Amino acid sequence: MTHPDASHLNRLVLVVEDEGSLADILVAYLQRDGLRTQHADNGLTALQNFRQNRPDIVLLDIRLPGIDGVDVLKTIRAESDTPVIMVTAMADDVDKLVSLRMGADDYVVKPFNPAEVVARVRAVLRRTAAAGQQRPSILRVGRLQIDRSAHAASVRDDDGTTRPLPLTLTEYKLLETLANQPRRCFTRSDLVEACLPESDALDRVIDSHLSKLRRKLEVGGCGDMINTVRGIGYRLWPES
């Protein structure tokens, strides 16, 4: 089969679906479109396959035995920004909004046309690939160097050498969010939404994460870069 846009070809799709006949149909349609596939019929196997094989996109049913799809999505988002399309038999707007707020990239409702699902997969892969091309992998703010592809940050010394910062995933997300718009003041709610969208944490929880991040920056020689704006929130100030 020839495609005007063949950028999706050979990409790996993890199909997480406990209905065997439906999974077989989806796998057949995806493979016919030039995509590689893996199948998991429960949440635990899905997470094992995800961590071992790092698919390019996940097609994830919400109603799964054991660990359900929403919890699988939470775990994936805590570890990766791999695109996820949620699948459900319930056309419930609340479910849709909750899943998208936790970081799902799209949402389809059963019953569906398998060809339409393949088209959604291709569209999300194109969109995420374009987004990745538009922003540089390495972000530099002052002496900070943030490697988006590796989810890692380091500090550059005067002689050009770099020292890694031992950040947790939440600390990394906070630092990247602040560094994407230096000098902008983010409210606590802004930072919760950007860095902990799947959490029910109170805004003040961000204070604890930022306190730990500041200590690690201080050890790395950049302890004064995160400013507190009284009554509002926080900002990253390169010249501090």
Side-chain angles (χ1 to χ4, degrees), residues 30-237:
L30 291 162
Q31 290 180 349
R32 191 176 71 177
D33 204 59
L35 291 151
R36 295 182 296 123
T37 61
Q38 288 186 330
H39 172 233
D41 62 5
N42 62 77
L44 179 60
T45 302
L47 289 174
Q48 291 171 341
N49 286 357
F50 176 80
R51 289 165 175 152
Q52 181 175 351
N53 300 297
R54 291 297 174 182
D56 297 291
I57 189 169
V58 180
L59 194 58
L60 177 59
D61 191 20
I62 287 183
R63 308 298 171 185
L64 294 170
I67 305 172
D68 70 15
V70 172
D71 286 332
V72 172
L73 175 61
K74 288 180 181 179
T75 302
I76 289 175
R77 275 294 159 267
E79 300 177 7
S80 167
D81 57 2
T82 299
V84 177
I85 298 177
M86 303 298 289
V87 181
T88 185
M90 298 176 62
D92 189 319
D93 287 341
V94 174
D95 271 0
K96 178 176 179 179
L97 290 172
V98 167
S99 293
L100 291 176
R101 184 175 180 272
M102 289 191 306
D105 296 85
D106 203 350
Y107 194 94
V108 293
V109 178
K110 300 175 184 177
F112 47 70
N113 182 338
E116 172 63 20
V117 176
V118 173
R120 297 278 193 97
V121 168
R122 292 174 62 190
V124 171
L125 285 171
R126 282 197 305 269
R127 188 166 68 241
T128 54
Q133 292 171 358
Q134 289 171 1
R135 66 175 194 171
S137 176
I138 302 297
L139 174 65
R140 293 184 176 88
V141 181
R143 296 172 61 202
L144 282 176
Q145 181 170 292
I146 297 171
D147 186 340
R148 291 188 174 105
S149 62
H151 280 66
S154 58
V155 176
R156 287 185 297 121
D157 290 330
D158 293 337
D159 61 4
T161 61
T162 60
R163 288 175 288 113
L165 292 170
L167 305 180
T168 66
L169 180 61
T170 298
E171 290 163 1
Y172 169 82
K173 287 180 177 179
L174 284 168
L175 184 60
E176 183 187 3
T177 299
L178 292 167
N180 274 328
Q181 299 183 65
R183 303 183 181 86
R184 173 191 163 181
C185 183
F186 290 83
T187 67
R188 292 181 178 88
S189 295
D190 291 334
L191 294 174
V192 168
E193 185 68 24
C195 305
L196 294 166
E198 74 284 358
S199 172
D200 294 326
L202 298 174
D203 291 355
R204 291 282 177 179
V205 172
I206 287 293
D207 295 348
S208 175
H209 288 293
L210 278 168
S211 177
K212 294 173 184 176
L213 174 58
R214 275 174 158 157
R215 285 199 293 271
K216 292 179 181 180
L217 288 172
E218 184 176 2
V219 171
C222 298
D224 57 350
M225 288 187 72
I226 296 179
N227 294 171
T228 300
V229 182
R230 189 176 297 277
I232 302 178
Y234 299 93
R235 66 186 175 191
L236 191 71
W237 200 263

